[in-house]
């Protein structure tokens, strides 16, 4: 299968099957603007057997967005492309603590009722499990 090349932009590779559209929704909230996006779902992979993949022309991922992606796909690979060459490879690292990126799903948590900035301890990476520092509720972010 021949896939569209990216000249200048980002390729997010090695997404688990079923996570491609979720990652795209997250990226849309982070100002993709008019970037051209190609999403590949359930494609063959030597490393994963099957995978999802996102190619974005004219958009470069920042560190905060990479952290967001690591919540959904902790083993993804992000390739930054310039002049059709990979200039940087990023393996997003899920930090031990996360501050303010997502809301606590416990509706009674004070981060939702009193405006505190949410903070989480990462309990596990595979699967990703977070524990709210305020209400101690544990949950998977997807």
């Amino acid at each position: 299968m021949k896939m569209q090349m990216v000249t200048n932009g980002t390729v997010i590779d090695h997404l688990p099957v079923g996570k491609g559209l979720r990652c795209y929704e997250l990226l849309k909230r982070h100002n993709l603007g008019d970037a051209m996006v190609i999403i590949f779902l359930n494609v063959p992979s030597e490393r994963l057997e099957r995978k999802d993949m996102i190619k974005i022309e004219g958009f470069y991922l920042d560190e905060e967005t990479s952290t967001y992606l690591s919540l959904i796909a902790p083993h993804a690979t992000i390739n930054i492309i310039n002049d059709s060459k990979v200039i940087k490879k990023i393996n997003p690292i899920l930090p031990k603590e996360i501050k303010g990126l997502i809301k606590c799903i416990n509706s009674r948590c004070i981060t939702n009722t009193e405006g505190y900035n949410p903070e989480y301890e990462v309990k596990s990476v595979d699967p990703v499990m977070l524990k709210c520092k305020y209400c101690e509720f544990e949950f998977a972010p997807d």
Side-chain angles (χ1 to χ4, degrees):
M1 169 191 308
K2 184 128 172 109
M3 296 187 192
Q4 175 75 30
M5 293 275 300
V6 171
T7 305
N8 295 296
T10 304
V11 175
I12 305 166
D13 200 0
H14 304 112
L15 296 170
V17 170
K19 301 288 185 175
L21 291 175
R22 175 113 164 98
C23 289
Y24 172 68
E25 288 299 319
L26 181 143
L27 292 169
K28 280 193 335 188
R29 287 181 285 190
H30 285 81
N31 199 18
L32 273 177
D34 61 354
M36 179 182 70
V37 179
I38 302 170
I39 303 170
F40 299 92
L41 303 174
N42 202 27
V43 296
S45 167
E46 289 180 23
R47 186 167 128 191
L48 299 174
E49 192 173 317
R50 310 290 293 170
K51 67 181 178 182
D52 290 354
M53 181 182 213
I54 301 173
K55 293 186 175 191
I56 311 165
E57 184 68 40
F59 179 82
Y60 297 96
L61 249 61
D62 59 23
E63 196 170 317
E64 180 182 7
T65 308
S66 296
T67 301
Y68 266 120
L69 285 176
S70 70
L71 289 169
I72 299 169
H75 303 294
T77 304
I78 299 169
N79 297 299
I80 304 300
I81 313 293
N82 200 11
D83 292 328
S84 300
K85 295 183 182 114
V86 176
I87 61 165
K88 187 174 183 182
K89 238 184 217 294
I90 302 168
N91 293 314
I93 297 171
L94 190 60
K96 293 181 192 278
E97 294 182 346
I98 295 172
K99 295 182 180 183
L101 286 180
I102 58 174
K103 292 179 69 171
C104 182
I105 64 170
N106 178 1
S107 61
R108 296 186 320 226
C109 181
I110 64 169
T111 62
N112 292 317
T113 60
E114 297 183 29
Y116 285 81
N117 195 26
E119 296 181 34
Y120 308 96
E121 174 188 351
V122 176
K123 297 297 284 181
S124 69
V125 174
D126 205 1
V128 176
M129 288 297 292
L130 303 178
K131 179 179 179 181
C132 179
K133 287 191 173 185
Y134 292 98
C135 68
E136 298 188 350
F137 191 79
E138 291 186 25
F139 64 98
D142 37 301

